[in-house]
C-alpha cells in the first residue's frame, strides 16, 4: 500500500473519531475529549515518523540510482573510446592487407618478367645455335667434303638440348680450393665465402667429382638467376685479399669445350705474366688482355 493511501486512511479514521463529517470545521465536529485528542495526536506523530522514514528511504534509493547512472555513463564513454580504437585497428588491418596484395602483385610481375627474359634468352640462343649449325653445314658443302650432316628433327632436338644445358649452367658457380672434410657443414662453408664478398643469396650446393687424397673437390652452387651469378663473380676477386680464402676462387660453370678453351687462355695468361711483368694481365670475354700497371700496382 502506498504512502498516500496510508495517509488518506489515517485522516479518515481521525475525522471519524473527532465526529467530523468530511472536513475539520468546528461546527461539524463534536467536542473531543482529552483521551481522544491524545490518541489522535499520537497517531499523527506515528504517521509523520513513517513519512520521514519513507522520505529517507527514497532519498537513499535516489542517491544509489544517481551513482549507477554515473557508472553507466562512464561505461558508455569507455565503450565509445574502445569502439573508436577498434575502428582505427580495423583501418590499419585493411591498410596492411592492401600492402600485402600490392607486394604479391609486384612479386607476380617480377616472376613474369623473369620468365619472359629466360624465354627470350632461350629462343635467341636456339636461333643463334641453329644458325651456326646451318653455317657449318653450308661450309661443309662448299668445301667439297663428301660427308654431309642432314638437318633432321633429331639434330634440332640435340641443338635445343644443348642450349637448355647452357642456360642451366648460366645459373651455376663453381668454387675451387675450398677445404673438404669428412663431416663438413657445406652450407656454412659456402655461406662464409659469400659473406666475405658481401653477398647472401638463396642457393643450393654440392660437391662434384671424385674425391682425391689431399685435393678438395669443387663445389657447384646453383642460384636463382644468371644475374646473381654475374654479380657474385664480379666480386670474387675480394677473396684473394684475405688470408683464409687466398687459394679459393670462383668461376662460371663451363662445359667441357669451354673448359678446354679456358685452359688454353690460362696458359697464355701465365706466359704473358712471365714475359711482361710490368703489365697487368687478365682474361675477359674469351681473350687475354694486357694493360699498363698503375703506380700503386707497381
Amino acid at each position: 500500500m502506498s504512502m498516500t493511501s496510508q495517509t488518506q486512511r489515517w485522516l479518515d479514521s481521525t475525522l471519524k473519531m473527532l465526529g467530523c463529517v468530511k472536513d475539520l470545521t468546528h461546527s461539524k465536529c463534536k467536542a473531543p475529549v482529552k483521551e481522544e485528542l491524545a490518541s489522535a495526536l499520537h497517531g499523527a506523530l506515528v504517521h509523520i515518523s513513517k513519512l520521514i522514514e519513507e522520505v529517507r528511504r527514497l532519498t537513499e534509493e535516489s542517491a544509489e540510482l544517481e551513482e549507477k547512472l554515473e557508472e553507466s555513463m562512464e561505461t558508455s564513454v569507455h565503450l565509445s573510446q574502445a569502439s573508436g580504437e577498434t575502428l582505427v585497428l580495423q583501418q590499419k588491418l585493411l591498410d596492411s592487407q592492401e600492402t600485402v596484395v600490392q607486394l604479391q602483385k609486384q612479386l607476380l610481375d617480377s616472376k613474369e618478367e623473369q620468365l619472359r627474359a629466360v624465354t627470350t634468352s632461350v629462343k635467341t640462343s636456339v636461333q643463334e645455335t641453329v644458325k651456326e649449325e646451318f653455317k657449318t653445314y653450308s661450309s661443309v658443302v662448299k668445301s667439297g667434303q663428301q660427308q654431309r650432316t642432314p638437318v633432321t628433327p633429331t639434330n634440332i632436338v640435340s641443338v635445343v638440348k644443348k642450349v637448355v644445358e647452357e642456360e642451366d649452367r648460366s645459373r651455376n658457380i663453381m668454387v675451387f680450393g675450398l677445404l673438404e672434410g669428412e663431416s663438413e657443414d657445406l652450407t656454412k662453408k659456402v655461406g662464409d665465402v659469400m659473406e666475405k664478398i658481401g653477398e647472401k643469396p638463396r642457393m643450393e650446393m654440392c660437391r662434384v667429382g671424385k674425391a682425391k687424397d689431399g685435393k678438395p673437390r669443387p663445389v657447384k652452387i646453383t642460384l636463382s638467376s644468371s644475374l646473381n651469378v654475374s654479380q657474385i663473380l664480379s666480386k670474387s676477386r675480394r677473396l684473394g685479399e684475405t688470408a683464409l680464402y687466398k687459394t679459393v676462387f670462383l668461376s662460371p660453370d663451363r662445359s667441357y669445350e669451354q673448359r678446354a678453351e679456358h685452359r688454353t687462355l690460362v696458359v697464355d695468361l701465365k706466359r704473358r705474366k712471365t714475359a711482361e711483368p710490368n703489365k697487368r694481365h687478365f682474361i675477359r670475354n674469351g681473350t687475354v688482355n694486357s694493360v699498363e700497371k698503375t703506380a700503386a700496382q707497381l
Side-chain angles (χ1 to χ4, degrees):
M1 181 179 299
S2 67
M3 183 58 64
T4 303
S5 299
Q6 292 179 4
T7 303
Q8 186 63 45
R9 289 185 60 186
W10 172 82
L11 182 59
D12 292 342
S13 63
T14 302
L15 290 174
K16 184 178 180 181
M17 179 186 67
L18 295 175
C20 300
V21 180
K22 291 185 179 180
D23 53 38
L24 298 175
T25 60
H26 178 72
S27 60
K28 294 183 180 181
C29 295
K30 67 179 181 179
V33 295
K34 183 178 180 180
E35 290 79 5
E36 291 174 342
L37 288 176
S39 175
L41 181 59
H42 179 267
L45 293 175
V46 171
H47 187 68
I48 290 172
S49 177
K50 291 181 179 180
L51 287 175
I52 293 174
E53 182 65 24
E54 182 68 12
V55 170
R56 186 190 61 77
R57 186 183 63 81
L58 292 175
T59 302
E60 292 178 353
E61 289 184 356
S62 177
E64 292 179 357
L65 289 175
E66 288 180 359
E67 185 178 353
K68 290 182 179 179
L69 179 60
E70 290 179 358
E71 293 178 354
S72 176
M73 292 179 65
E74 291 179 357
T75 303
S76 177
V77 171
H78 291 325
L79 290 176
S80 178
Q81 293 176 349
S83 177
E85 293 176 356
T86 301
L87 291 176
V88 172
L89 292 175
Q90 288 177 344
Q91 184 60 43
K92 288 183 179 179
L93 177 60
L94 291 175
D95 293 341
S96 299
Q97 291 175 344
E98 183 177 354
T99 302
V100 171
V101 171
Q102 292 177 354
L103 291 175
Q104 289 176 342
K105 184 177 182 300
Q106 292 176 3
L107 179 60
L108 291 175
D109 293 341
S110 176
K111 288 184 176 180
E112 290 179 358
E113 184 177 352
Q114 290 181 0
L115 180 60
R116 285 195 298 270
V118 171
T119 303
T120 302
S121 175
V122 171
K123 288 182 178 179
T124 302
S125 299
V126 169
Q127 292 173 354
E128 292 178 353
T129 306
V130 171
K131 287 180 181 179
E132 291 296 326
E133 293 291 336
F134 286 160
K135 288 181 181 179
T136 303
Y137 301 150
S138 177
S139 62
V140 170
V141 173
K142 290 181 180 179
S143 64
Q145 296 183 12
Q146 298 298 322
Q147 183 180 1
R148 296 182 179 181
T149 304
V151 179
T152 63
T154 302
N155 291 337
I156 297 298
V157 170
S158 176
V159 171
V160 174
K161 182 179 179 181
K162 180 179 179 182
V163 172
V164 172
E165 290 176 353
E166 290 179 356
E167 179 65 26
D168 289 341
R169 280 197 299 272
S170 69
R171 297 188 296 112
N172 296 338
I173 290 179
M174 301 301 297
V175 183
F176 297 92
L178 187 62
L179 294 178
E180 181 177 3
E182 294 183 358
S183 57
E184 64 179 354
D185 186 349
L186 189 58
T187 301
K188 184 178 185 308
K189 282 187 176 181
V190 175
D192 291 342
V193 172
M194 293 297 167
E195 186 177 352
K196 286 295 181 182
I197 61 176
E199 292 289 334
K200 194 175 181 181
R202 295 180 60 183
M203 55 188 173
E204 297 178 358
M205 65 217 66
C206 64
R207 295 273 185 184
V208 294
K210 294 182 179 180
K212 296 181 181 180
D213 294 338
K215 186 176 181 181
R217 293 175 296 165
V219 178
K220 182 172 74 172
I221 303 174
T222 301
L223 302 170
S224 59
S225 70
S226 57
L227 294 178
N228 291 341
V229 171
S230 300
Q231 182 174 344
I232 291 173
L233 290 177
S234 67
K235 299 180 179 180
S236 61
R237 68 180 63 182
R238 298 179 185 178
L239 294 176
E241 301 172 358
T242 63
L244 182 61
Y245 298 110
K246 195 172 185 64
T247 59
V248 176
F249 63 96
L250 312 182
S251 75
D253 183 12
R254 300 184 177 94
S255 65
Y256 176 80
E257 294 81 4
Q258 291 171 335
R259 289 198 297 271
E261 293 175 0
H262 187 70
R263 281 195 293 269
T264 301
L265 293 174
V266 172
V267 172
D268 187 20
L269 177 66
K270 292 180 179 179
R271 180 185 61 78
R272 291 196 187 189
K273 285 183 176 181
T274 303
E276 300 175 297
N278 293 329
K279 291 185 177 181
R280 186 171 67 88
H281 309 281
F282 56 91
I283 298 174
R284 179 178 295 172
N285 297 328
T287 60
V288 178
N289 299 272
S290 301
V291 295
E292 296 294 337
K293 287 185 177 180
T294 62
Q297 293 173 337
L298 292 174

